Amino acid sequence: MLENDGLFTQMSDLEIIEIIKNGDDTPFDVIFKRYHALSVKITKDFYLKSFESDDFLQEARIVFHKTIHSFDSEKGHTFGNFYKLNLKHHIFSLVRKDMAKKRMIEKNAESLEEMLESKQSMQYILQGKDQLPTIEILQVRERLADYQATLSEFEQRVFLDFIHNNEAEEISVNLNCDILQVKNALDRCKRKLKQLLD
């Protein structure tokens, strides 16, 4: 293997690319090392919440491998420029997907807060009967599960009555408690929800 590595290091990019295209990935690491600095330079300016530098490098390796197999030297561009273009395009695509996911989560969070503020009943969402797409229903349910875990037992009971469109007076009767306790619990529920959404 080391002898092969020594042999590959003396080869040109085009020679190694031809070997890999013919089904032998042995020299892949040799040629990828030549473009390691470029990979780092391109990816270091991007941020994705769940990505670390090693994750970006792994994405770079995947793009590099695909670039080798799609590279055509007769089209007039160098392999390095072709790889650079492909990697940038791939990272931009990852960033766009991440931003779209973030916007969807923020939209669902805002919807959840609006429902609580307007006292719109949430049982339709919880039961999957709302007109929201399935993915949004699942995200709202996940948010609700996180939210309810922050509530005390009394706050949960008040919240449950509240989302079933009961007024504070009705809730106090249902729970056999003072109306002021209910109003205070509702204030805490709203405050905790805003903290979760922020």
Side-chain angles (χ1 to χ4, degrees):
M1 179 66 73
L2 290 174
E3 286 180 16
N4 282 343
D5 282 358
L7 178 64
F8 294 140
T9 55
Q10 297 172 31
M11 291 182 176
S12 69
D13 288 356
L14 291 178
E15 288 173 320
I16 293 178
I17 287 168
E18 204 56 42
I19 290 170
I20 295 173
K21 277 188 168 185
N22 288 327
D24 184 0
D25 279 340
T26 310
F28 178 83
D29 285 333
V30 172
I31 189 171
F32 184 67
K33 281 178 186 174
R34 295 177 186 177
Y35 291 89
H36 181 269
L38 176 63
S39 304
V40 172
K41 183 180 177 183
I42 292 171
T43 59
K44 72 179 178 63
D45 293 328
F46 293 95
Y47 171 78
L48 290 172
K49 186 177 180 181
S50 59
F51 268 53
E52 295 180 7
S53 57
D54 286 347
D55 296 313
F56 276 116
L57 196 58
Q58 185 60 37
E59 292 294 325
R61 286 178 66 89
I62 293 168
V63 172
F64 194 82
H65 194 269
K66 288 179 179 177
T67 300
I68 286 173
H69 285 281
S70 60
F71 178 66
D72 185 350
S73 60
E74 294 182 3
K75 289 190 175 178
H77 42 64
T78 66
F79 176 76
N81 283 338
F82 188 48
Y83 168 59
K84 183 178 179 180
L85 185 69
N86 285 344
L87 182 57
K88 280 188 174 182
H89 180 75
H90 181 70
I91 299 298
F92 285 146
S93 178
L94 290 176
V95 171
R96 279 196 302 271
K97 286 178 185 175
D98 189 61
M99 289 173 69
K101 183 179 177 183
K102 184 180 177 185
R103 281 195 299 271
M104 181 175 282
I105 290 172
E106 286 173 351
K107 180 184 171 186
N108 290 335
E110 287 169 8
S111 299
L112 183 57
E113 185 173 3
E114 284 170 11
M115 282 188 282
L116 185 60
E117 288 295 333
S118 65
K119 299 206 302 183
Q120 181 181 339
S121 178
M122 283 188 252
Q123 66 261 33
Y124 297 105
I125 290 175
L126 296 173
Q127 293 166 6
K129 295 178 181 177
D130 196 69
Q131 297 303 308
L132 290 172
T134 305
I135 184 68
E136 292 190 23
I137 293 170
L138 293 173
Q139 288 172 339
V140 172
R141 284 181 181 174
E142 186 178 337
R143 284 269 175 164
L144 280 174
D146 291 342
Y147 169 60
Q148 287 185 309
T150 68
L151 303 179
S152 68
E153 185 179 341
F154 179 68
E155 288 165 352
Q156 286 185 28
R157 292 167 67 193
V158 169
F159 177 73
L160 190 60
D161 262 15
F162 181 76
I163 64 173
H164 284 87
N165 291 330
N166 290 326
E167 299 291 337
E169 293 82 0
E170 295 175 277
I171 297 172
S172 67
V173 171
N174 292 343
L175 301 182
N176 193 27
C177 64
D178 189 80
I179 190 170
L180 187 60
Q181 288 178 288
V182 172
K183 288 181 177 179
N184 288 338
L186 283 173
D187 285 340
R188 291 194 300 275
C189 287
K190 289 176 184 178
R191 189 166 58 250
K192 288 179 179 180
L193 179 63
K194 285 180 180 177
Q195 286 173 350
L196 179 70
L197 299 182
D198 290 343

